[in-house]
C-alpha cells in the first residue's frame, strides 16, 4: 500500500453490497469467497478502497442492518478466517477495506435484546424500554414514527404473559434502538471497533450516525415526521451524538490511517459539518447528488454547498451518486427532471411516473460520473454503477424483501430494485454471479436482458461504461488529486470547472455547446470534435 497519509481525502471507494456482488459457493447469495475472487476486477477498476455492507450474523430482516453479533461473520457470507484473508488480499492489491458498523440498533436476536426481553434489568437499560401511555399503557410512549412507516414503538409481553413496556425502534421492530446514555453500550462499541481494527480493517462506515443520541426525555416530536423534516426532532441529530464520536476518534487514533465515514441524514451540510470537526469523524457522505436532478444549475449549487461546508471544518467533500438505499441514478435520470433537488429519497417514488428512457438515463449517468470523479474529495461508487446498471423496477412483489414495503403498508416501493445481483459474464442469469452448476438461483432475480451489462462484455468494449470508469479513475489518480478547483464561466444549462490544466464540462442544456481544448475523456463516444452534446460531460486539457 502507498504510505500517502490521509488517503481518504481523495479516495475512490467502491461500495460492495456483499449479498449481491459475487457468489462463491453457488447458493445464490454473494459471499466473501466471491468477493475475494473478484479483487482483480476491483484492482483493474482502480479503486482505492472498498466499503462492505454488513456481513455479520443477522436474521436479515433488514439485509444485515439487524446485527446479531458484531464480532462474527454470517455463515452465508463465510467465516472470520475468510474475512481476515480478504483483508490481507485486498491490501496486497492496494485496496483498503472499510466495514459497516451498525450502532443505532441491534437485531432483536442479539444476545443483549434477548436478555432484555427475558427481564434482565441491566440488559433492559441498554435499550429504550418505556411504559405506554393511556390508562392501560396501550398507547406508544411518544409519537415518533419509524423510518419504515408506522409507530417507532412495539409493545412487549411481560413475564406473566401480560402486555408490558414498549421499546423504541426507529427502523423495523426487529431493530431495537440502543440506549447510548448507557456506558456499557459505549464501551461495547469501542471494543468492537478495536476488534476489527486489529484484524486490519481500515475504517468504518457508520450506519445511521445521526440517530444514536436521543433527547433524554423522549418527548413527542409534534408535527415533525422522522423522514422528511428532522429539524429539531428529539430523535435525530442530537448534540449528545458528538461525544460518542470523539471517543471513536480516539480509538481510531490508536492505529495508523484509519477512517470513519458517517451516514448521517441531517438537515443541511452545516449540520453535517458538525460531525466532521477535527476531533470527530473524518468524512460523512454528502447525499446531495442523490437528491439532485440532472440539471447543471442544481448540480453546481450542490457542489458549492458540499464543498464549502466540508472546507469550513477541514474535511474533504464526499460525493455519492447512488447506494443500496436509493433508485439507481441511470433510472433516476431516465425521466423528466424536476428543476430542484428532491428533498428526500423517500419522495423519489413521485419522480418515477411514466416509462423510463434508459438510454437517456445512461447518457446522463455517464456524464454525472465524469463530474463526480472530476471533483476534489472522496467519491463513492456503488457496485454496478460502473456497468451502467439501471434500477430493476419490475421486480414482482413476491420476490421483494425490503421490510419497509410491508411496514409502510405498501406506501414505500422498497429498495430491492437497486440490490439485484451483479452480472459478470454470459448471456443469461445468473450471468456468472454464481459459479456454473450452482444449486440455487440468485436471491433476487436478474433481468433477462442484462447480457450487455456484464463486466466481461463491457471490459471488451472501449466505449462501455466500465471502460469509461476505468479511464476516469486512472486519469484522476494521475492528474486530479492534488490540484485546485475553480469554476469557469459557461453557457446557460452547463457547468464547467478547472482542476489545474484540466477542465471538466457538463451540458444539461438540451442543445450542443462548443468545447475547446484537447479531449481527454468524454462520456459520449459519438460526440463531434469541438462539441459537447447535451446530456454529456467531458474532460479537456486547455
Ligand atoms: C441505513 C442503511 O443504509 C439502510 O439500508 C438501513 O435500512 C438503515 N440504515 C437501518 O439500519
Ligand atoms: Ca454464496
Amino acid at each position: 500500500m502507498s504510505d500517502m497519509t490521509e488517503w481518504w481525502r481523495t479516495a475512490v471507494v467502491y461500495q460492495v453490497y456483499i449479498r449481491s456482488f459475487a457468489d462463491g459457493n453457488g447458493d445464490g447469495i454473494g459471499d466473501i469467497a466471491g468477493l475475494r475472487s473478484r479483487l482483480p476486477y476491483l484492482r483493474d477498476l482502480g479503486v482505492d478502497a472498498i466499503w462492505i455492507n454488513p456481513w455479520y450474523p443477522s436474521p436479515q430482516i433488514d439485509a444485515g442492518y439487524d446485527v446479531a453479533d458484531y464480532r462474527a461473520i454470517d455463515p452465508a457470507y463465510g467465516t472470520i478466517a475468510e474475512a481476515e484473508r480478504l483483508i490481507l488480499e485486498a491490501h496486497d492489491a492496494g485496496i483498503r477495506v472499510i466495514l459497516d458498523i451498525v450502532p443505532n440498533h441491534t437485531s432483536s436476536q442479539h444476545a443483549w435484546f434477548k436478555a432484555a426481553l427475558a427481564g434482565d434489568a441491566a440488559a433492559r437499560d441498554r435499550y429504550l424500554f418505556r411504559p405506554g401511555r393511556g390508562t392501560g399503557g396501550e398507547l406508544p410512549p411518544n409519537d415518533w414514527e419509524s423510518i419504515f412507516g408506522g409507530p417507532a414503538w412495539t409493545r412487549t409481553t411481560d413475564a406473566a404473559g401480560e402486555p408490558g413496556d414498549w421499546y423504541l425502534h426507529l427502523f423495523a421492530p426487529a431493530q431495537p434502538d440502543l440506549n447510548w446514555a448507557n456506558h456499557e453500550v459505549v464501551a461495547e462499541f469501542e471494543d468492537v471497533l478495536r476488534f476489527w481494527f486489529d484484524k486490519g480493517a481500515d475504517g468504518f462506515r457508520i450506519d445511521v450516525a445521526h440517530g444514536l443520541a436521543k433527547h433524554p426525555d423522549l418527548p413527542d416530536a409534534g408535527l415533525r415526521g422522522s423522514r422528511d423534516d428532522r429539524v429539531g426532532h428529539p430523535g435525530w441529530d442530537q448534540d449528545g451524538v458528538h461525544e460518542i464520536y470523539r471517543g471513536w476518534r480516539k480509538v481510531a487514533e490508536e492505529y495508523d490511517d484509519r477512517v470513519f465515514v458517517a451516514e448521517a441524514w441531517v438537515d443541511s451540510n452545516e449540520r453535517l459539518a458538525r460531525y466532521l470537526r477535527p476531533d470527530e469523524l473524518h468524512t460523512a457522505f454528502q447525499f446531495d447528488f442523490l437528491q439532485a436532478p440532472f440539471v447543471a444549475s442544481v448540480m453546481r449549487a450542490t457542489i458549492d454547498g458540499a464543498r464549502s461546508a466540508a472546507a469550513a471544518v477541514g474535511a474533504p467533500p464526499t460525493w455519492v451518486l447512488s447506494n443500496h438505499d436509493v433508485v439507481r441514478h441511470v433510472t433516476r435520470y431516465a425521466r423528466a427532471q424536476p428543476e430542484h433537488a428532491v428533498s428526500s429519497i423517500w419522495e423519489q417514488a413521485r419522480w418515477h411516473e411514466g416509462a423510463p428512457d434508459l438510454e437517456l438515463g445512461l447518457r446522463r449517468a455517464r456524464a454525472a460520473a465524469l463530474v463526480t470523479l472530476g471533483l476534489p474529495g472522496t467519491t463513492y461508487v456503488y457496485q454496478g454503477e460502473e456497468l451502467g446498471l439501471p434500477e430493476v423496477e419490475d421486480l414482482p412483489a413476491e420476490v421483494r424483501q425490503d421490510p419497509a414495503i410491508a411496514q409502510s403498508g405498501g406506501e414505500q416501493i422498497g429498495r430491492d430494485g437497486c440490490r439485484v445481483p451483479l452480472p459478470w459474464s454470459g448471456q443469461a442469469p445468473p450471468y456468472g454471479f454464481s459459479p456454473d452448476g450452482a444449486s440455487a438461483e440468485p436471491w433476487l432475480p436478474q433481468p433477462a436482458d442484462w447480457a450487455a451489462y456484464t463486466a466481461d462484455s463491457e471490459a471488451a468494449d472501449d466505449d462501455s461504461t466500465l471502460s469509461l470508469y476505468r479511464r476516469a479513475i486512472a486519469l484522476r489518480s494521475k492528474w486530479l488529486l492534488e490540484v485546485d478547483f475553480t469554476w469557469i464561466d459557461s453557457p446557460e444549462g452547463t457547468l464547467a470547472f478547472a482542476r489545474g490544466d484540466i477542465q471538466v464540462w457538463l451540458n444539461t442544456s438540451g442543445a450542443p455547446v462548443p468545447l475547446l481544448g484537447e479531449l481527454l475523456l468524454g462520456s459520449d463516444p459519438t460526440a463531434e470534435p469541438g462539441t459537447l452534446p447535451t446530456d454529456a460531460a467531458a474532460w479537456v486539457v486547455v
Side-chain angles (χ1 to χ4, degrees):
M1 271 197 279
S2 89
D3 48 22
M4 186 176 79
T5 52
E6 307 207 315
W7 58 276
W8 42 271
R9 288 185 177 275
T10 55
V12 176
V13 185
Y14 184 94
Q15 180 186 350
V16 173
Y17 194 74
I18 186 164
R19 205 172 182 72
S20 299
F21 186 68
D23 169 22
N25 68 351
D27 65 354
I29 297 172
D31 48 38
I32 298 177
L35 172 52
R36 287 172 63 201
S37 75
R38 298 295 182 181
L39 284 173
Y41 171 82
L42 297 171
R43 185 200 52 215
D44 292 349
L45 183 56
V47 300
D48 301 292
I50 52 176
W51 147 38
I52 306 172
N53 286 97
W55 58 1
Y56 317 104
S58 163
Q60 304 289 344
I61 300 293
D62 185 23
Y65 284 98
D66 45 327
V67 178
D69 179 354
Y70 292 85
R71 295 182 187 77
I73 296 287
D74 194 299
Y77 298 144
T79 62
I80 280 278
E82 280 182 284
E84 289 173 332
R85 252 173 273 143
L86 165 77
I87 294 171
L88 285 176
E89 289 167 2
H91 288 171
D92 282 346
I95 298 171
R96 289 176 158 96
V97 179
I98 296 174
L99 303 180
D100 206 320
I101 192 161
V102 188
N104 180 67
H105 43 265
T106 68
S107 161
S108 52
Q109 297 304 308
H110 189 284
W112 278 6
F113 195 69
K114 290 203 262 186
L117 286 187
D120 176 332
R124 281 176 86 80
D125 192 57
R126 298 178 195 131
Y127 293 92
L128 294 160
F129 286 90
R130 293 289 183 277
R133 295 197 282 202
T135 42
E138 71 283 4
L139 298 173
N142 70 23
D143 65 356
W144 297 4
E145 291 164 16
S146 157
I147 293 281
F148 292 157
W153 295 90
T154 290
R155 195 166 193 188
T156 58
T157 308
D158 68 19
E162 298 296 320
D165 285 347
W166 299 67
Y167 67 89
L168 179 73
H169 53 85
L170 291 176
F171 293 88
Q175 295 167 298
D177 276 51
L178 286 161
N179 171 19
W180 275 87
N182 179 312
H183 64 88
E184 289 171 10
V185 173
V186 176
E188 168 71 358
F189 276 87
E190 293 189 356
D191 194 63
V192 168
L193 296 176
R194 288 194 187 93
F195 177 87
W196 291 104
F197 282 150
D198 286 341
K199 297 202 178 305
D202 297 283
F204 286 92
R205 176 259 187 197
I206 306 169
D207 188 60
V208 198
H210 55 313
L212 279 48
K214 276 85 177 171
H215 188 293
D217 304 335
L218 305 182
D220 281 339
L223 290 178
R224 300 176 204 99
S226 282
R227 296 212 303 258
D228 298 334
D229 179 11
R230 294 183 188 159
V231 187
H233 190 297
W236 298 104
D237 194 21
Q238 297 290 296
D239 284 348
V241 80
H242 298 286
E243 203 44 43
I244 300 168
Y245 298 132
R246 289 191 188 102
W248 287 26
R249 180 67 176 243
K250 289 195 187 110
V251 174
E253 285 177 359
E254 295 164 11
Y255 300 80
D256 289 336
D257 272 359
R258 311 300 158 106
V259 64
F260 293 114
V261 56
E263 185 222 21
W265 289 90
V266 295
D267 209 62
S268 64
N269 273 311
E270 285 63 39
R271 293 296 298 181
L272 193 66
R274 293 161 52 88
Y275 291 74
L276 301 175
R277 290 174 288 196
D279 58 346
E280 296 189 45
L281 304 175
H282 309 78
T283 58
F285 296 123
Q286 286 173 302
F287 287 130
D288 318 62
F289 270 121
L290 294 183
Q291 311 181 55
F294 188 82
V295 173
S297 58
V298 181
M299 293 168 84
R300 180 173 168 146
T302 295
I303 294 167
D304 276 338
R307 289 189 71 238
S308 64
V313 284
T318 304
W319 313 106
V320 187
L321 286 169
S322 276
N323 65 26
H324 65 292
D325 289 329
V326 301
V327 172
R328 283 189 179 275
H329 56 279
V330 165
T331 302
R332 295 204 310 267
Y333 295 156
R335 295 181 170 93
Q337 300 294 287
E339 282 297 313
H340 51 82
V342 174
S343 69
S344 113
I345 56 166
W346 310 100
E347 275 182 46
Q348 286 184 356
R350 288 178 218 159
W351 193 355
H352 287 150
E353 282 145 20
D357 177 347
L358 291 180
E359 213 173 298
L360 176 63
L362 181 58
R363 281 178 62 77
R364 291 173 168 173
R366 291 166 57 102
L370 287 195
V371 173
T372 51
L373 288 169
L375 285 168
T378 311
T379 298
Y380 280 74
V381 174
Y382 175 46
Q383 69 175 42
E385 76 167 75
E386 81 283 14
L387 303 173
L389 288 187
E391 182 84 358
V392 183
E393 292 188 293
D394 60 357
L395 281 176
E398 64 276 12
V399 305
R400 290 186 178 262
Q401 307 199 9
D402 187 343
I405 304 170
Q407 209 178 313
S408 67
E411 189 203 314
Q412 292 179 33
I413 52 169
R415 300 160 291 177
D416 301 285
C418 65
R419 299 175 176 180
V420 171
L422 287 194
W424 290 95
S425 58
Q427 298 302 313
Y431 300 108
F433 168 70
S434 298
D436 288 347
S439 59
E441 314 214 310
W443 70 280
L444 283 174
Q446 299 161 304
D449 61 356
W450 268 15
Y453 291 110
T454 65
D456 272 10
S457 73
E458 293 205 22
D461 173 2
D462 235 31
D463 292 337
S464 69
T465 304
L466 179 58
S467 298
L468 181 76
Y469 269 76
R470 283 184 179 169
R471 258 182 240 133
I473 293 171
L475 288 172
R476 168 190 166 97
S477 50
K478 199 158 148 210
W479 278 320
L480 292 186
L481 295 189
E482 304 302 329
V483 288
D484 285 353
F485 171 101
T486 331
W487 286 115
I488 301 170
D489 282 338
S490 70
E492 180 84 26
T494 70
L495 67 77
F497 55 85
R499 305 285 317 276
D501 296 338
I502 295 178
Q503 295 187 356
V504 176
W505 281 74
L506 169 75
N507 181 4
T508 71
S509 72
V513 295
L515 184 67
L516 300 179
E518 180 203 332
L519 185 69
L520 260 185
L521 189 58
S523 67
D524 179 351
T526 67
E528 299 288 332
T531 301
L532 183 64
T534 190
D535 301 313
W539 293 3
V540 290
V541 186
V542 184

